[in-house]
């Protein structure tokens, strides 16, 4: 339990997890709290408070660039933060993606090559952009567009699935349809489940029988 561990170490670990999620998932500029905005690169506690205060006074931000109007948020801070900020239903469709504004010009050039709008259906974007990558090597296309290969690869990924939460790609536990109650369990049976709680002596796991099972600490595979 949390009160049993070193509180400073726990706080650092939790902060690290939140930062990693912010880096991968991003933060909705029009709904995020000051506490969450603080985890975005280039935005400290005071600036986070100013952003929310500006939003409360002037209404939702229409695009990423609009946040530049907040007092204290200069060009450098915007450069650091922009890639992690998301604006949904704004006037710039690419603001919902992880593409940095500095790369918007390249992104629009890619879309122009396949005659697509950024608001085109996901299936159409995926089909045409996949075909473009097959027709022309990524390195060659990057050179033609004047950008780096890793940057272009990220742009392709975001154009196909803008704003996609990477957690959705993780496989969900597959519960056995023939195991519905405790009576269906037998010695040696292997099951998948969802971790519900972690304690000193093991892990409680939901395996679909209405009562969590305990995986004792002595049975937890090391290095996995």
């Amino acid at each position: 339990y949390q009160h049993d561990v070193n509180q400073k170490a726990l706080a650092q670990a939790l902060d690290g997890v939140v930062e990693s999620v912010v880096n991968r998932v991003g933060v909705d500029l029009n709904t995020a709290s000051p506490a969450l905005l603080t985890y975005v690169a280039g935005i400290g506690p005071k600036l986070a408070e100013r952003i929310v205060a500006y939003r409360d006074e002037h209404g939702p931000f229409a695009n990423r660039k609009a946040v530049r109007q907040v007092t204290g948020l200069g060009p450098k801070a915007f450069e650091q933060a922009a890639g992690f900020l998301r604006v949904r239903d704004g006037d710039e469709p690419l603001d919902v993606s992880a593409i940095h504004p500095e790369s918007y010009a390249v992104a629009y050039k890619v879309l122009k090559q396949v005659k697509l709008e950024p608001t085109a259906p996901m299936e159409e974007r995926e089909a045409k952009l996949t075909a473009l990558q097959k027709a022309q090597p990524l390195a060659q296309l990057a050179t033609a567009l004047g950008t780096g290969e890793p940057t272009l690869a990220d742009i392709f990924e975001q154009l196909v699935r803008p704003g996609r939460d990477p957690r959705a790609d993780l496989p969900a536990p597959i519960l056995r349809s023939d195991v519905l109650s405790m009576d269906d369990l037998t010695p040696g049976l292997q099951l998948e489940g969802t971790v519900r709680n972690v304690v000193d002596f093991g892990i409680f796991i939901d395996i679909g029988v209405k009562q969590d099972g305990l995986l004792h600490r002595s049975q937890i595979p090391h290095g996995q």
Side-chain angles (χ1 to χ4, degrees), residues 185-224:
L185 301 177
T186 57
L189 190 63
Q190 293 188 358
L191 301 166
E192 291 190 17
T194 301
V195 172
R196 294 300 183 192
N197 196 12
V198 179
V199 294
D200 289 343
F201 49 85
I203 303 172
F204 285 99
I205 302 175
D206 178 6
I207 56 175
V209 296
K210 299 181 181 179
Q211 184 173 343
D212 293 347
L214 172 65
L215 178 63
H216 193 267
R217 61 183 299 176
S218 63
Q219 301 299 314
I220 298 175
H222 292 287
Q224 298 187 19

Side-chain angles (χ1 to χ4, degrees), residues 5 11 43 57 85 95 99 104 106 133 157 195 201 209 213:
V5 300
I43 298 178
E57 181 180 353
L85 301 175
D95 281 350
I99 300 174
Y104 280 3
V106 176
Q133 292 181 79
E157 181 181 353
V195 172
F201 49 85
V209 296

Side-chain angles (χ1 to χ4, degrees), residues 127-192:
K128 290 190 175 182
L129 291 170
T130 300
L132 176 61
Q133 292 181 79
K134 289 182 178 179
Q136 193 170 358
L138 192 64
Q140 181 181 342
L141 189 58
T143 300
L145 294 174
T147 189
E149 194 172 340
T151 299
L152 186 58
D154 290 340
I155 289 174
F156 267 110
E157 181 181 353
Q158 288 297 313
L159 288 178
V160 171
R161 301 187 303 176
R164 175 82 170 192
D165 189 331
R167 293 170 293 186
D169 295 332
L170 299 176
I174 302 175
L175 300 179
R176 292 274 293 268
S177 59
D178 57 335
V179 177
L180 303 175
S181 69
M182 295 290 289
D183 295 334
D184 297 324
L185 301 177
T186 57
L189 190 63
Q190 293 188 358
L191 301 166
E192 291 190 17

Side-chain angles (χ1 to χ4, degrees), residues 21-198:
V21 172
V22 166
N23 288 337
R24 295 196 64 191
V25 180
V27 170
D28 191 320
L29 185 57
N30 286 322
T31 61
S33 65
L36 184 56
L37 285 168
T38 301
Y39 288 98
V40 176
I43 298 178
K46 291 184 179 179
L47 186 52
E49 292 283 357
R50 289 190 194 131
I51 290 173
V52 173
Y54 185 94
R55 188 178 70 199
D56 291 341
E57 181 180 353
H58 300 278
F61 292 99
N63 50 58
R64 280 171 168 163
K65 290 183 178 179
V67 78
R68 288 284 307 276
Q69 299 171 19
V70 176
T71 303
L73 201 153
K76 189 167 184 179
F78 178 75
E79 182 182 348
Q80 290 179 299
F84 305 117
L85 301 175
R86 306 285 184 271
V87 177
R88 305 183 189 283
D89 302 319
D91 56 22
E92 172 51 73
L94 294 181
D95 281 350
V96 76
S97 73
I99 300 174
H100 195 281
E102 291 179 345
S103 298
Y104 280 3
V106 176
Y108 276 108
K109 286 179 182 178
V110 171
L111 290 170
K112 186 176 181 180
Q113 288 209 11
V114 290
K115 298 179 180 179
L116 276 176
E117 292 294 331
T119 54
M122 184 181 298
E123 295 78 9
E124 185 181 1
R125 288 200 306 268
E126 184 172 8
K128 290 190 175 182
L129 291 170
T130 300
L132 176 61
Q133 292 181 79
K134 289 182 178 179
Q136 193 170 358
L138 192 64
Q140 181 181 342
L141 189 58
T143 300
L145 294 174
T147 189
E149 194 172 340
T151 299
L152 186 58
D154 290 340
I155 289 174
F156 267 110
E157 181 181 353
Q158 288 297 313
L159 288 178
V160 171
R161 301 187 303 176
R164 175 82 170 192
D165 189 331
R167 293 170 293 186
D169 295 332
L170 299 176
I174 302 175
L175 300 179
R176 292 274 293 268
S177 59
D178 57 335
V179 177
L180 303 175
S181 69
M182 295 290 289
D183 295 334
D184 297 324
L185 301 177
T186 57
L189 190 63
Q190 293 188 358
L191 301 166
E192 291 190 17
T194 301
V195 172
R196 294 300 183 192
N197 196 12
V198 179

